[in-house]
Amino acid sequence: MNGTGTGRTDGNGTHPMAENGTTHTDRNAETVIVGAGLVGAVTACYLAPRFGPVTVLEKRADPRVDPGRQRRSLVVMLSARGWRALSDLGVADAVRRICVPLHGRCGHLPDGRTRLTPYSRDGRPIWAVERRRLHRILLDAAEATPGVSIRFGQRVRSVDLDRPAVQVEDRHGSHRLTCRRILGCDGAHSATRAALEARGARVEVRRLELAYQEIDVPAGRLEPDITHYWPSGEAMFAAHPLPSGKLSGSLFMRLDGPAPSYAAARGGRDLTAMFAAHFPELTGIIPDIEEQLVTKAVSTLTAVHCDRWVWRDTFALLGDSCHAMAPFMGHGMNCGFEDARVLVDCLDASTGRPGGLAAYEKSRTEDADAISALSYRHYFTMANPPREESAADVLRGRLTALFPDRFAPLYERCAFTEESYASVLRDDRRLDRLVSDLLARHGTGLVSAPDDRLRACISVHAPTTATLEDSGCS
């Protein structure tokens, strides 16, 4: 371990504890990263080789030594943006060995039908990986990066944006660590974000109405190379395959309100009855579902919107600390990794002059807003599948088939390209207007018109680029 946070003199020049319980730093770190989660570790790997020593402060114990209670979703999804970062850092091959490729999603509909939607039109998969195993690889990579020191058991109590400096508390007492810049990678309930709020940043942290339980699904009953989900209108169950052959499932329901909700279930038996009523197929697939519903923790979902991410050239937020989102597009982690890559690119471009952090904020905020909006609305698309396709849905499908280079599924563009999320959303809205205009001008008969007629109509009305929204989740 590069840094222990013991208060004794170490590679960062920290002196022994003073009489008043405060330590002092003579030789400063170039960058302090608060939070050693997935995004914090990736950010440290990117920064240290290009901008000097990085000290990472993490309030929890080292998860490789003390796994503790599982606090986050068991499985995360890797798409093109995430793989770009892992490739840049030289760990893509190691991560791929612990991933499961997923080629599509299968909706198990309430009427007994199933609907399989490929993730891409050319067969490319997204990749499911266990969070804890990915986290271990990234922490090992960060510690192996020259200039990176990770200190666990370090709780940041306050941030001085002007100095800049952080006040840190550990088992030895309190000390102040000064540096050139501070990066907050400490999640949706970020402690560092408070410093920006004190300077006037408007922050919205809201608990979504949905809550969830992680449910283990045994191997052998479901195809192991696709995501499965069961929509029931007001609740949903989703399951992602693991390398072991088992699946990691999640039951999503409202936290409060009438059934189906966690508040409406007064105990384990009531919850089991509610589950069986909405997901009868799963009661046969998961034999110990009653025991799991009784014992598994109920977790809430938090969304974060922050109108400012940086302070001058001394402080920036990344990942969930500034844009925590619903998990239904599978892009929270990928977006956070992209934050780190864009940040170092902006710092590179501004070497020798201020403005790198401002450029990073300008580049990322609109994209984060777009993917956050898409992620939230995706749940309702998934949980409430239409009984039959509308004329607009059918027309969209035909446009994709006839003009594959001009009309691409929204999910495909988000998952398999590094295009701006904001531009993808704008194109999707333009496509909405185009489809509405075509149906208004030509009637619903256009849906079944010959290809030549549809091509002629599109040549008059279509923009050069648009996207096609599809139903389903990551």
Side-chain angles (χ1 to χ4, degrees), residues 85-399:
L86 298 179
S87 178
D88 287 349
L89 303 180
V91 297
D93 289 343
V95 173
R96 202 175 296 273
R97 287 194 289 270
I98 63 169
C99 288
V100 177
L102 303 178
H103 293 276
R105 62 183 83 87
C106 181
H108 300 257
L109 305 182
D111 61 7
R113 293 178 299 130
T114 58
R115 181 161 61 205
L116 181 63
T117 305
Y119 279 128
S120 66
R121 293 169 295 175
D122 58 6
R124 286 174 293 173
I126 62 170
W127 301 77
V129 59
E130 292 175 84
R131 177 187 291 272
R132 62 176 180 82
R133 299 179 72 185
L134 174 61
H135 195 193
R136 179 182 291 270
I137 288 173
L138 293 177
L139 287 175
D140 288 347
E143 286 192 327
T145 302
V148 174
S149 170
I150 305 179
R151 302 179 184 180
F152 296 94
Q154 306 287 299
R155 185 177 293 275
V156 172
R157 292 299 189 185
S158 64
V159 174
D160 181 340
L161 295 179
D162 297 317
R163 173 81 177 162
V166 292
Q167 193 71 25
V168 185
E169 184 180 281
D170 60 21
R171 62 191 179 92
H172 299 283
S174 178
H175 61 278
R176 184 176 174 86
L177 180 62
T178 61
C179 56
R180 181 178 176 182
R181 73 174 63 88
I182 300 165
L183 302 179
C185 301
D186 50 341
H189 303 288
S190 169
T192 58
R193 191 175 58 227
L196 268 187
E197 291 186 77
R199 300 296 178 97
R202 293 190 295 273
V203 178
E204 180 186 11
V205 181
R206 65 187 177 99
R207 190 183 71 185
L208 301 182
E209 65 269 28
L210 296 168
Y212 69 97
Q213 285 176 289
E214 297 280 359
I215 302 294
D216 301 323
V217 181
R221 300 294 300 273
L222 298 166
E223 294 92 333
D225 62 346
I226 57 177
T227 296
H228 297 266
Y229 69 102
W230 287 258
S232 74
E234 296 180 294
M236 187 181 73
F237 190 93
H240 300 101
L242 299 171
S244 65
K246 297 180 180 180
L247 293 91
S248 173
S250 297
L251 170 62
F252 295 96
M253 294 194 301
R254 290 188 302 268
L255 183 63
D256 301 308
S261 73
Y262 285 103
R266 295 183 297 276
R269 185 165 298 177
D270 290 338
L271 185 55
T272 302
M274 193 182 299
F275 184 91
H278 286 83
F279 307 106
E281 180 184 359
L282 286 167
T283 58
I285 293 174
I286 310 172
D288 63 343
I289 185 61
E290 181 173 3
E291 178 184 351
Q292 291 199 58
L293 290 171
V294 171
T295 59
K296 294 293 183 71
V298 175
S299 301
T300 57
L301 297 170
T302 301
V304 173
H305 178 268
C306 192
D307 73 336
R308 288 179 55 190
W309 295 13
V310 308
W311 178 257
R312 297 175 182 169
D313 250 23
T314 63
F315 178 84
L317 297 171
L318 297 87
D320 283 355
S321 64
C322 49
H323 56 64
M325 63 191 72
F328 305 109
M329 284 283 285
H331 277 265
M333 177 189 69
N334 294 279
C335 186
F337 287 1
E338 192 171 52
D339 288 347
R341 180 182 63 78
V342 172
L343 174 70
V344 294
D345 287 347
C346 290
L347 292 175
D348 267 343
S350 65
T351 298
R353 63 184 189 277
L357 295 187
Y360 156 74
E361 179 186 66
K362 182 177 180 180
S363 172
R364 296 301 294 157
T365 51
E366 188 181 11
D367 277 354
D369 289 346
I371 191 59
S372 294
L374 288 169
S375 296
Y376 185 62
R377 89 176 191 193
H378 221 49
Y379 172 79
F380 300 99
T381 301
M382 291 161 36
N384 297 276
R387 291 187 177 275
E388 60 183 32
E389 287 188 303
S390 66
D393 292 333
V394 175
L395 184 55
R396 282 168 169 252
R398 292 199 62 196
L399 293 179

